[in-house]
Amino acid sequence: MERFDNTLPVQQEDAIDLRHYWRVLMRFKWGILGLAIAVTLAAIFFVSAMRPVYKASTTLLIEQKQGKTLTSLDDVYGADVTGKEYLQTQFEILKSRELAARVVRELSIAEHPDYLMQNQIAKEEEKAWWQLIDWQQYLPVGHEKNPIPTEDEQFNKLVDKFMTNVSIEPIRQTQLVKITFQSYDRVLTARVSNAMAKVYIDSQMEARVTLTQNAADWLSTRLGALKANLEASEKKLQEYREQNNLVEGGGAAKTSVLGLSTEQLTQINQRVVQAQFKVAEISQRYGEKHPALIQAQLELNEAQKAFNQAKEASIELSRKEFKFQELQREVQTNRNLYDTFFTRIKQANDSLELETANARVIDPAVVPSLPFKPKKSLLIALALVMSLVLGAVLAFLLDYLDSTFKGVEDVEDKLGLSVLGMVPVVKQKKKEASAVLFLDDKQKSYAEAMRTVRTSVVLSGIDKPHKTIVLTSSVPSEGKSTSAINLAVALGQMERVLLIDADMRKPTVAKVLNLPPNTPGLSNLVAATADKEDCILHMEDANIDVLTAGLIPPNPSELLSSQKFADLLHKFSEEYDRVIIDSPPTLLVSDALLISKVVDAVVYVIRSDVTSHNTARTGVNRLSAVKAPVIGVVLNKVNMKRAAQYYGAYSAYYAYGYGSYVYGEENQKKKSA
């Protein structure tokens, strides 16, 4: 079989064709609506079976509170957190697992029916049939079966489930926080929300009391050591005083072990001065060896000696006084530190009684009257909308994947050929089936469509009539033989017409027209084994002559490509006004290509909703390759109702093809009645 490339130009649309989208929706509208109805009904059933979920919220005010003890009790533990960090810390505490676990224990959540049901389901799953199989034998070495969960593990799972239903939502730019709990039990929602707030406040109170108590205990322990230090320093001071015979007067030591006082030191100093004055006075009057001078010198020496001794004693006294003051300062420091800690301990003990909570409930939770979810009407509306959207998407997808011809625009866009007519699909009972639909009173719409094809064929050759016309298609079962028969009958109403069955591989004309079997035909004439009068049959009711295929030859292509066949067609064109030829499909054999070289026109038959674009394009390209005179396309077996809905431009055609005759039939019935 010869192969040709698809060289036929295809028109492309640059702009989005909204009309095409509308046609797609109109074409699949019942499918879209059916899907939407089915999904919506399923959503209604599903939503109706859903249990309502309630939620309740408690609003909590968290106040930042400073410590009262020490410089601040928080200073003892380095917990001086302020501003946003403090609030964020409290929010995280509210979200903590420990807080949730306390609420679970206090409210006995494990005994609630909803959670009991979950536990029972888990236990039932453990007893399911697949649990009875020892899967461990199929596991690799080193893998063990999951152990039976302990009570703590079960409790942890319960807390995990509980925490998924709790939400902590800080309110921006405030110190408020909302504690929300959702559950199937509307009473439980309020209980849990309020319990969460209460447990948080209690835990904060306990934490602050514990902190204060710990600080007080630490201060008490530290105070004992400070008291011991104070007593030791006082004892040391007292011992030093007693050892050095020091007395305190006016804050300073005034006497020493020498019994020397400040007045005595002054007198000794005056005595030295007087002795020096006396020696100077006597030495001016007497000589060095004068008894008075010697006596005055001895008095001076004794005064200086007494002064030096007093001076040394004074230095020793100052040193002892410095040591004494140092011991006094140590005592005073220890006493001040002891007094400070003693005061803080008293404040800490007082704060245990005066401690208040750093949070309070502003708006307690109440039992909700309406469920939080599911929003049944919203879910149903969403299901309806989404199903419509899904249906539309599927419609566009099917339209995109559907590469068959639907109407005139498809033929013109994909093949670049004009449409001679759209022939409707005909439904007939097998017993009443007839190939000559044009003459069937019950198929008036088909007859009208074939008249349109007849008119298009005649007008396409208005200057030079197409006397020999061949009808072909891409593949079998597209209705080319039926179209050839009925086009011949339609032309036979006005002209002398000869119908030739040139499909000598699978002839159908004789069979569908109920002509005598084994009648000689085209193959006999070309082979010159029969006369023309014996081969051509006349159909009186259709007013046409018919030349059947005759005896099926072993070499149809050779007969159709012979000069005898061409001469025979030329002779028929002189004897008849129109010669209509039914040929084999173009993609199966080359017979139609051979016939197209010796005819005036080629009519290409395409079956609507069946023939693909590529298939038809390949067939038309094969004809174009041999320069066949293709005058147009007959779009066959068209669902006219669907075409009228899909292509608004054909609504008038549909009304004329169907409505006018229906209207005429109704009027005829009314008149006969």
Side-chain angles (χ1 to χ4, degrees):
M1 185 190 309
E2 300 181 46
R3 294 182 179 272
F4 295 88
D5 295 334
N6 296 345
T7 57
L8 192 67
V10 178
Q11 299 179 1
Q12 299 287 342
E13 292 187 0
D14 296 332
I16 296 177
D17 188 0
L18 297 179
R19 292 177 301 174
H20 173 72
Y21 296 149
W22 175 253
R23 293 166 189 162
V24 173
L25 294 177
M26 290 298 100
R27 178 187 175 194
F28 293 98
K29 65 179 180 180
W30 296 117
I32 295 173
L33 292 176
L35 176 63
I37 293 172
V39 172
T40 304
L41 291 177
I44 293 173
F45 177 78
F46 179 75
V47 169
S48 300
M50 295 175 65
R51 294 181 62 186
V53 179
Y54 299 86
K55 75 172 183 178
S57 300
T58 299
T59 304
L60 198 65
L61 172 63
I62 299 178
E63 299 175 328
Q64 189 170 349
K65 187 174 181 181
Q66 300 293 339
K68 298 180 179 179
T69 58
L70 287 178
T71 310
S72 169
L73 277 180
D74 293 337
D75 293 341
V76 178
Y77 298 96
D80 186 13
V81 182
T82 59
K84 295 182 179 179
E85 292 80 3
Y86 174 80
L87 292 176
Q88 189 62 38
T89 301
Q90 302 308 309
F91 298 153
E92 294 301 321
I93 292 175
L94 278 168
K95 298 177 184 178
S96 66
R97 183 185 186 84
E98 178 61 27
L99 204 66
R102 290 183 60 175
V103 175
V104 169
R105 292 190 184 94
E106 288 189 8
L107 298 184
S108 301
I109 295 297
E111 311 245 339
H112 192 272
D114 288 340
Y115 294 91
L116 277 176
M117 184 183 302
Q118 295 174 1
N119 293 335
Q120 290 175 356
I121 293 174
K123 291 180 180 179
E124 290 297 329
E125 289 180 351
E126 293 178 1
K127 297 179 181 179
W129 62 268
W130 57 83
Q131 298 290 337
L132 301 178
I133 301 176
D134 186 11
W135 299 103
Q136 188 174 5
Q137 59 180 328
Y138 302 107
L139 297 176
V141 178
H143 291 75
E144 297 181 357
K145 294 176 62 177
N146 294 329
I148 299 176
T150 62
E151 292 185 1
D152 290 340
E153 291 175 343
Q154 293 178 353
F155 179 77
N156 291 335
K157 290 182 179 179
L158 177 62
V159 174
D160 291 338
K161 178 64 178 176
F162 175 81
M163 292 181 67
T164 59
N165 296 323
V166 178
S167 63
I168 307 299
E169 301 175 1
I171 300 178
R172 292 175 58 86
Q173 307 300 326
T174 68
Q175 293 177 264
L176 301 176
V177 60
K178 280 193 173 184
I179 304 172
T180 304
F181 183 77
Q182 59 182 20
S183 172
Y184 297 123
D185 187 346
R186 61 193 188 98
V187 176
L188 183 64
T189 57
R191 288 184 61 202
V192 170
S193 298
N194 291 326
M196 288 287 293
K198 180 180 180 298
V199 167
Y200 167 74
I201 294 173
D202 292 345
S203 66
Q204 293 300 297
M205 285 284 293
E206 292 172 3
R208 296 184 68 84
V209 169
T210 301
L211 179 66
T212 304
Q213 185 63 53
N214 291 339
D217 294 342
W218 180 82
L219 289 173
S220 298
T221 302
R222 182 61 179 159
L223 186 63
L226 293 176
K227 184 177 181 181
N229 292 340
L230 176 59
E231 291 176 351
S233 62
E234 288 179 341
K235 182 178 180 182
K236 186 177 180 181
L237 176 62
Q238 184 61 30
E239 289 176 353
Y240 186 82
R241 182 186 290 118
E242 291 176 355
Q243 289 176 0
N244 294 280
N245 195 24
L246 297 177
V247 295
E248 189 176 1
K254 297 297 183 180
T255 60
S256 68
V257 292
L258 300 177
L260 211 57
S261 64
T262 303
E263 295 178 356
Q264 290 175 334
L265 288 174
T266 302
Q267 291 176 359
I268 292 174
N269 189 32
Q270 290 177 354
R271 179 181 171 188
V272 171
V273 173
Q274 290 176 358
Q276 290 175 346
F277 182 77
K278 184 176 180 180
V279 170
E281 183 180 1
I282 293 176
S283 63
Q284 291 178 358
R285 289 186 297 175
Y286 302 104
E288 294 180 355
K289 297 184 178 182
H290 191 275
L293 182 58
I294 293 172
Q295 182 63 34
Q297 190 65 43
L298 290 174
E299 291 178 358
L300 176 60
N301 292 337
E302 290 179 358
Q304 289 179 342
K305 182 179 180 180
F307 180 78
N308 290 334
Q309 291 178 349
K311 183 178 179 181
E312 292 177 358
S314 176
I315 292 173
E316 179 67 16
L317 180 62
S318 297
R319 184 180 61 79
K320 293 181 178 181
E321 182 180 4
F322 178 79
K323 180 65 175 178
F324 178 79
Q325 291 177 352
E326 181 181 359
L327 294 175
Q328 277 188 322
R329 287 194 299 272
E330 182 179 356
V331 169
Q332 187 62 37
T333 299
N334 290 337
R335 180 176 288 109
N336 291 339
L337 189 58
Y338 174 80
D339 292 342
T340 299
F341 270 71
F342 183 80
T343 302
R344 296 307 183 209
I345 288 177
K346 187 175 183 304
Q347 291 177 352
N349 292 331
D350 292 341
S351 67
L352 290 175
E353 300 178 359
L354 299 176
E355 195 68 54
T356 58
N358 68 326
R360 54 194 174 93
V361 175
I362 299 298
D363 187 11
V366 296
V367 177
S369 57
L370 297 176
F372 160 63
K373 62 180 182 180
K375 301 184 183 299
K376 297 184 178 181
S377 57
L378 178 60
L379 290 177
I380 294 173
L382 286 176
L384 176 61
V385 173
M386 295 304 295
S387 60
L388 288 173
V389 173
L390 177 61
V393 171
L394 291 177
F396 291 130
L397 179 61
L398 291 175
D399 179 73
Y400 176 78
L401 297 176
D402 185 3
S403 60
T404 59
F405 292 91
K406 302 295 185 301
V408 175
E409 291 185 359
D410 284 347
V411 176
E412 294 177 349
D413 292 344
K414 306 301 180 183
L415 301 180
L417 297 175
S418 61
V419 176
L420 301 176
M422 290 180 24
V423 180
V425 63
V426 176
K427 295 182 180 180
Q428 288 182 308
K429 296 181 180 180
K430 291 184 178 181
K431 295 181 179 180
E432 301 176 357
S434 173
V436 187
L437 300 172
F438 186 84
L439 301 177
D440 190 348
D441 292 337
K442 297 180 180 179
Q443 306 297 337
K444 293 182 179 180
S445 59
Y446 183 91
E448 183 61 34
M450 195 53 65
R451 289 189 185 95
T452 301
V453 175
R454 180 186 65 185
T455 302
S456 299
V457 170
V458 172
L459 292 177
S460 65
I462 191 67
D463 295 329
K464 184 180 180 181
H466 304 309
K467 303 202 69 175
T468 54
I469 304 169
V470 62
L471 275 75
T472 186
S473 62
S474 303
V475 292
S477 301
E478 295 195 66
K480 63 174 180 57
S481 297
T482 303
S483 298
I485 293 171
N486 285 276
L487 177 59
V489 174
L491 289 169
Q493 305 298 307
M494 304 182 301
E495 303 171 338
R496 289 192 64 204
V497 176
L498 173 63
L499 172 64
I500 300 177
D501 187 356
D503 189 352
M504 289 184 286
R505 300 176 187 272
K506 191 177 179 181
T508 58
V509 172
K511 182 178 179 180
V512 299
L513 292 180
N514 296 320
L515 298 177
N518 302 321
T519 301
L522 178 63
S523 61
N524 302 93
L525 282 178
V526 176
T529 60
D531 295 331
K532 181 177 66 173
E533 291 75 11
D534 297 330
C535 297
I536 297 178
L537 302 177
H538 181 72
M539 294 183 64
E540 190 65 34
D541 55 346
N543 193 31
I544 62 172
D545 290 341
V546 179
L547 177 61
T548 62
L551 182 65
I552 298 177
N555 53 349
S557 297
E558 293 180 5
L559 290 178
L560 296 175
S561 62
S562 65
Q563 185 61 39
K564 289 184 178 181
F565 176 72
D567 294 341
L568 187 63
L569 284 185
H570 179 70
K571 186 176 180 180
F572 285 150
S573 65
E574 292 178 350
E575 296 177 2
Y576 292 91
D577 297 322
R578 305 282 177 178
V579 178
I580 306 299
I581 305 170
D582 178 24
S583 70
T586 58
L587 297 185
L588 297 184
V589 291
S590 60
D591 295 2
L593 304 179
L594 298 173
I595 298 173
S596 66
K597 294 180 179 181
V598 293
V599 297
D600 298 329
V602 176
V603 175
Y604 205 83
V605 178
I606 295 176
R607 183 174 178 179
S608 176
D609 293 320
V610 174
T611 306
S612 67
H613 300 157
N614 289 334
T615 300
R617 187 183 297 117
T618 303
V620 173
N621 283 339
R622 296 192 68 181
L623 292 170
S624 300
V626 297
K627 298 181 179 180
V630 181
I631 62 173
V633 172
V634 171
L635 193 59
N636 197 29
K637 298 185 179 182
V638 180
N639 187 326
M640 301 304 290
K641 284 187 177 181
R642 183 185 301 171
Q645 297 171 353
Y646 188 68
Y647 292 97
Y650 302 132
S651 59
Y653 183 96
Y654 168 75
Y656 179 72
Y658 282 82
S660 61
Y661 284 101
V662 172
Y663 179 79
E665 291 175 357
E666 290 179 353
N667 287 343
Q668 187 175 0
K669 291 180 181 179
K670 290 180 180 179
K671 290 179 180 179
S672 61

